[in-house]
Amino acid sequence: QNIWHIPSNWVKVVPDEQNFIAGYVVQVPGKGKVIPFAEDEIVHFKFPSPFSLFYGAGPLFAAAYGIDLNTEIKKWGINFFLNNATPSGVLYTDDSINAQGYQRLRDEWNRKYRGSENAGKIAILEGGLKYQQTGSSLKDAKFEDVSREIRDEILAIFGVPASKLGLVEDVNRANADANDYTYQKETIEPRLILIEEKLNEKVMPMYDSNLIAKFDSVV
């Protein structure tokens, strides 16, 4: 017998009204050929989920919004420093400005004040120009607080204590050891049990009905 690992995004479940799953089809991305497999030829490892009885859903599904928000916050912070480094605002004047004057003012403003290296510079305005703030700063957006909350949410969804990532805020040796014990017992061991059960359901009977697969305890 040969065991082959097939990327899950290549595989689709064929539902069945009586047997739940009739089989599977595999299609390599970019290839037109679809390869069918019988239900007993595929060992499908999955996290159970009420959102998808056929495919299940991993922790990433639950953390999707937090991860997307975290990504957008990081991008916003990068663009903030690249583009501005000062509160967003407008320059306005009661006088009219022609196209040439507008271009000169824009280029001069960007050259002097745009970019993180120019943060904190004092702007000197000319010709009756006035500056009006219209945006917010990183401090106003509570960037660090929001990022920390999102990080903690993602860690909780994946069942990972912050101390495992070296985040030692209010963590001493005693509760770090307790966190490690809890992580092994409530995150790692249940995942191993899921794998054990699937191996014992699908793989071991192919060799001997008396054989079982079991991991050593990680706790």
Side-chain angles (χ1 to χ4, degrees):
Q1 300 285 349
N2 292 314
I3 297 177
W4 296 84
H5 174 264
I6 304 174
S8 59
N9 59 306
W10 295 9
V11 185
K12 289 186 178 180
V13 175
V14 180
D16 186 87
E17 291 183 357
Q18 294 182 337
N19 300 315
F20 187 59
I21 295 177
Y24 301 84
V25 292
V26 176
Q27 184 176 23
V28 180
K31 306 292 184 181
K33 186 177 181 181
V34 176
I35 306 170
F37 285 88
E39 189 275 336
D40 60 359
E41 291 182 292
I42 297 291
V43 182
H44 186 185
F45 295 95
K46 64 182 177 184
F47 288 97
S49 170
F51 295 104
S52 177
L53 298 180
F54 291 108
Y55 294 97
L60 187 63
F61 181 84
Y65 285 122
I67 291 172
D68 288 344
L69 181 58
N70 183 64
T71 300
E72 293 304 316
I73 285 177
K74 302 300 185 192
K75 287 164 59 177
W76 185 87
I78 291 171
N79 288 326
F80 179 89
F81 284 111
L82 288 177
N83 297 329
N84 206 352
T86 56
S88 298
V90 295
L91 296 175
Y92 69 95
T93 179
D94 296 330
D95 300 327
S96 61
I97 301 177
N98 58 30
Q100 183 178 3
Y102 164 78
Q103 185 68 39
R104 182 185 65 81
L105 283 170
R106 188 183 69 173
D107 293 344
E108 185 73 9
W109 184 271
N110 286 337
R111 183 180 65 81
K112 288 183 178 179
Y113 307 113
R114 185 173 183 172
S116 55
E117 68 277 4
N118 292 321
K121 282 188 175 181
I122 298 175
I124 300 176
L125 306 180
E126 60 176 288
L129 285 173
K130 302 178 181 64
Y131 178 80
Q132 178 176 334
Q133 180 176 330
T134 59
S136 60
S137 66
L138 281 175
K139 182 179 180 180
D140 295 332
K142 297 183 178 180
F143 188 83
E144 292 183 358
D145 293 340
V146 175
S147 294
R148 188 179 298 108
E149 290 176 5
I150 295 172
R151 179 199 71 194
D152 292 344
E153 175 191 350
I154 294 171
L155 286 173
I157 289 171
F158 280 89
V160 178
S163 58
K164 298 296 289 183
L165 301 184
L167 303 173
V168 292
E169 303 166 3
D170 301 323
V171 175
N172 55 36
R173 175 64 183 272
N175 54 30
D177 287 344
N179 286 341
D180 191 53
Y181 172 81
T182 303
Y183 174 64
Q184 300 295 337
K185 186 176 186 295
E186 298 183 2
T187 300
I188 299 302
E189 189 168 57
R191 294 190 183 191
L192 296 180
I193 291 173
L194 281 176
I195 297 172
E196 287 176 357
E197 291 177 344
K198 187 58 65 174
L199 291 174
N200 289 326
E201 175 194 356
K202 292 286 190 178
V203 178
M204 303 315 293
M206 297 169 60
Y207 297 93
D208 189 325
S209 59
N210 295 317
L211 292 177
I212 63 168
K214 189 170 182 61
F215 288 99
D216 291 334
S217 176
V218 296
V219 179

